[in-house]
Amino acid sequence: MAETTRPARRGLMLILSSPSGAGKSTLTRNLCQRETNIDLSVSVTTRERRPSEIDSVHYRFIDRDTFEALRDHDDLLEWAEVHGNCYGTPRKPVEAALARGRDVLFDIDWQGTMQIVEKAREDVVTIFILPPSMAELRSRLVRRAEDAQEVIAKRLANARSEIARWEKYDYVIVNDDLNDAYDSIKAILTAERLKRSRAIGLADFVETLLDEAMP
Ligand code: ADP
Ligand code: 5GP
């Protein structure tokens, strides 16, 4: 089929959540590097920047007053307090990307996921990433070596209540082998992009197809 005759589709919002350290940032980063037509939503946060993080690339690092002003002006599509810090998704870049027919990828927690699902269920696909074991989760947080010991302890203490949300998600992936987990996400994205309900002008396309003279 020629590219020009393929029906267009609505953009989708792909959300990845997991307990801290299960690997969702690594997976979202890989997806954005290797995939075309998907934009990463860059969140705002009041948490301290980690040594490896770049402002406006990994997050926009802001203070609490600025965060509250954005929230109160309805500039955030969703927001939540996680591990004692505030995080939120700026609304405008998401709306602009979707309007351009692009997909948007989110690395956000279950609270934010539920808020977006409530607003746009038909356009949202949610994936929960599980670690292969709690021992491995701990060692990934330690190996990442970006957070202080007490921050790691807090994140591990919160992991159980975050994992308990797994049933709210459309898909669940155990991130044991990184390549396998990546391939699973890619397969989900490919299938979800092909959903009939996302296609625009499919009925017209089929009509034209049926009107075509038989060769
Ligand atoms: P999260 O964003 O969920 O907090 P990260 O993506 O930062 O987690 O991953 C935590 C650490 O675990 C990082 O050092 C990352 O390189 C490592 N990691 C991620 N996935 C795997 C995997 N499948 N096997 C081994 N290490 C992994
Ligand atoms: P981290 O501090 O490790 O980068 O993120 C901590 C948690 O906050 C993770 O579960 C991450 O997915 C989540 N998070 C990051 N950005 C947002 C956001 O904009 N909104 C919500 N609700 N959670 C976020």
Side-chain angles (χ1 to χ4, degrees), residues 16-20 24-25 43-45 47 50 53 59 78-80 82-83 85 87-90 107-113 115 144 147 155 162:
L16 263 63
S17 300
S18 79
S20 189
K24 68 195 165 308
S25 303
S43 298
V44 292
T45 182
R47 110 156 138 62
R50 293 184 183 131
E53 288 176 330
Y59 283 105
E78 62 72 35
W79 71 275
V82 192
H83 313 307
N85 298 301
Y87 297 83
T89 300
D107 167 347
I108 62 174
D109 88 321
W110 66 270
Q111 305 173 82
T113 302
Q115 292 169 45
R144 185 165 73 185
D147 296 316
R155 283 166 181 253
E162 291 173 328

Side-chain angles (χ1 to χ4, degrees), residues 18-26 107 136 140 143-144 175-178:
S18 79
S20 189
K24 68 195 165 308
S25 303
T26 308
D107 167 347
E136 174 63 12
R140 283 185 194 169
R143 273 205 310 272
R144 185 165 73 185
N175 178 20
D176 189 353
D177 178 85
L178 195 58

Side-chain angles (χ1 to χ4, degrees), residues 53-211:
E53 288 176 330
I54 301 164
D55 190 28
S56 298
V57 173
H58 297 94
Y59 283 105
R60 248 178 70 212
F61 297 93
I62 59 177
D63 59 31
R64 228 171 225 270
D65 286 349
T66 310
F67 187 93
E68 282 169 10
L70 288 174
R71 184 196 60 196
D72 296 346
H73 286 102
D74 201 27
D75 287 335
L76 301 179
L77 186 59
E78 62 72 35
W79 71 275
E81 190 159 337
V82 192
H83 313 307
N85 298 301
C86 292
Y87 297 83
T89 300
R91 177 192 301 280
K92 279 199 187 124
V94 175
E95 290 176 348
L98 292 174
R100 293 201 325 274
R102 293 185 63 81
D103 299 323
V104 184
L105 182 60
F106 301 81
D107 167 347
I108 62 174
D109 88 321
W110 66 270
Q111 305 173 82
T113 302
M114 295 306 115
Q115 292 169 45
I116 298 183
V117 165
E118 195 146 297
K119 285 177 185 154
R121 173 68 275 194
E122 289 303 305
D123 295 327
V124 183
V125 179
T126 60
I127 305 178
F128 199 83
I129 310 290
L130 288 171
S133 68
M134 295 308 257
E136 174 63 12
L137 186 68
R138 169 188 288 275
S139 64
R140 283 185 194 169
L141 281 172
V142 172
R143 273 205 310 272
R144 185 165 73 185
E146 296 257 20
D147 296 316
Q149 237 173 350
E150 61 273 17
V151 173
I152 291 178
K154 190 174 199 178
R155 283 166 181 253
L156 278 171
N158 291 342
R160 282 177 196 284
S161 64
E162 291 173 328
I163 288 173
R165 311 288 168 174
W166 69 278
E167 282 182 292
K168 300 265 186 209
Y169 284 73
D170 299 324
Y171 299 92
V172 177
I173 293 172
V174 178
N175 178 20
D176 189 353
D177 178 85
L178 195 58
N179 289 327
D180 288 351
Y182 179 83
D183 288 346
S184 298
I185 294 172
K186 181 71 182 54
I188 292 165
L189 181 60
T190 302
E192 289 285 348
R193 280 174 167 170
L194 290 168
K195 261 200 169 159
R196 177 167 53 82
S197 58
R198 297 194 210 290
I200 298 169
L202 194 54
D204 290 345
F205 173 76
V206 173
E207 207 171 305
T208 310
L209 195 65
L210 294 175
D211 282 347

